């Protein structure tokens, strides 16, 4: 994932599905200068992790179905 997209996801009014190592996570913050993000698994909100932004992936939902 690119830094700009991670920032857009944080500011989005709705939840956008993001994954880290196949686990759904919430992006809490982004440090653009370091290329990192603070995330936590959706099912374990007290388990914050600092990860490389390029290791995050977005799930695109097809809303036409």
């Amino acid at each position: 994932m690119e830094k700009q997209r991670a920032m857009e996801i944080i500011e989005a009014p709705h939840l956008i599905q993001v994954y880290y190592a196949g686990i759904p996570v919430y992006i809490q913050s982004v440090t653009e200068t370091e290329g990192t993000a603070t995330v936590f698994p959706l099912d374990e909100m007290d388990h914050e992790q600092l990860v490389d932004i390029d290791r995050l992936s977005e799930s695109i939902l097809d809303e036409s179905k």
Side-chain angles (χ1 to χ4, degrees), residues 8-52:
E8 291 170 359
I9 289 172
I10 288 174
E11 296 172 6
H14 57 281
L15 181 64
I16 297 173
Q17 292 184 341
V18 175
Y19 293 87
Y20 174 71
I23 299 168
V25 296
Y26 177 82
I27 303 174
Q28 186 171 18
S29 64
V30 171
T31 306
E32 291 186 70
T33 56
E34 299 293 325
T36 59
T38 302
V39 302
F40 57 80
L42 294 179
D43 64 349
E44 205 174 336
M45 298 175 98
D46 60 340
H47 188 77
E48 287 185 3
Q49 300 176 68
L50 185 64
V51 301
D52 291 331

